[in-house]
Amino acid sequence: MQIVDTHQHLWDPEMFRYSWLQSAPSLKRAFRTSDYLATIQGLNVVLPVHVEADVAEPFMRAETRYLLALADQPDNPLAGIVACGRPEKNDFRSYLDKIAGHSKLKGIRRVLHTQPDDLGQSTVFVQNIASLESYGLSCDLCVLARQLPIAIKLISACPGVTFILDHCGVPQVKERILDPWRSYIAEIAAFPNVNCKVSGLVAYADPSRWQEDDLRPYIEHVISCFGWDRVLFGSDWPVCTLSASYHQWVEALRSITRSAGETNQKKLFHDNAVRIYRLD
């Protein structure tokens, strides 16, 4: 089965600054295309989508231009780029004007799970996210489970924007906490313009003791709420390596969803991503 990976990262701390890497020493090195290609050998990953990795603000535009240039190289498999952005800034649309227009620029992400809750609730933030519709860009949402009500308010104010909820809304997998995450997911899934990325879960599990059954209730709940047409696979590589290899995460997700049949697995691992991220 062909796989579209909707959530992979590349970074080089010698090129751009990623402040959060200070707290993740095992990830504080370059992860390049060659590393990714070596990692996915044998898995039939055909179209990777790069998602920004919370680069420091002064490097946002340079990182985006670098990644789009990588995607333009004939031997590079990158099919889409979700770029960084700061919608809380008044000059956000001016920034979009500078990076928009490239066929492989698919969306924008502003990491919120490391930020104060009020950042994603300002009038400027909401208005700037709403403007993504006119640019033909989607919005990746990265929020903690407790911040899902903030995401719900944002989505309700931007009905014309396509949203992709990253990492199943970041549930507390290691702690095995399901509520109130479950009710928030059901509420957010009621919006037809929201999709859910089945990614990141293994990174939130116990790195030394996780098992498939630790992930199962979260995966089964998001699929139950969103349905098979609005879920997408993402590796979250290399962050996933904090708890598992790329192959281990893929095999766990395949195993958990196997009973749903090949047609539904194909939607999860390939077809939905091509449609939602508008991939060639």
Side-chain angles (χ1 to χ4, degrees), residues 173-175 201-211 214 243:
V173 179
K174 183 178 180 180
E175 295 80 8
L201 290 178
V202 73
Y204 302 125
D206 188 320
S208 60
R209 303 173 63 183
W210 73 271
Q211 300 178 21
D214 297 326
S243 297

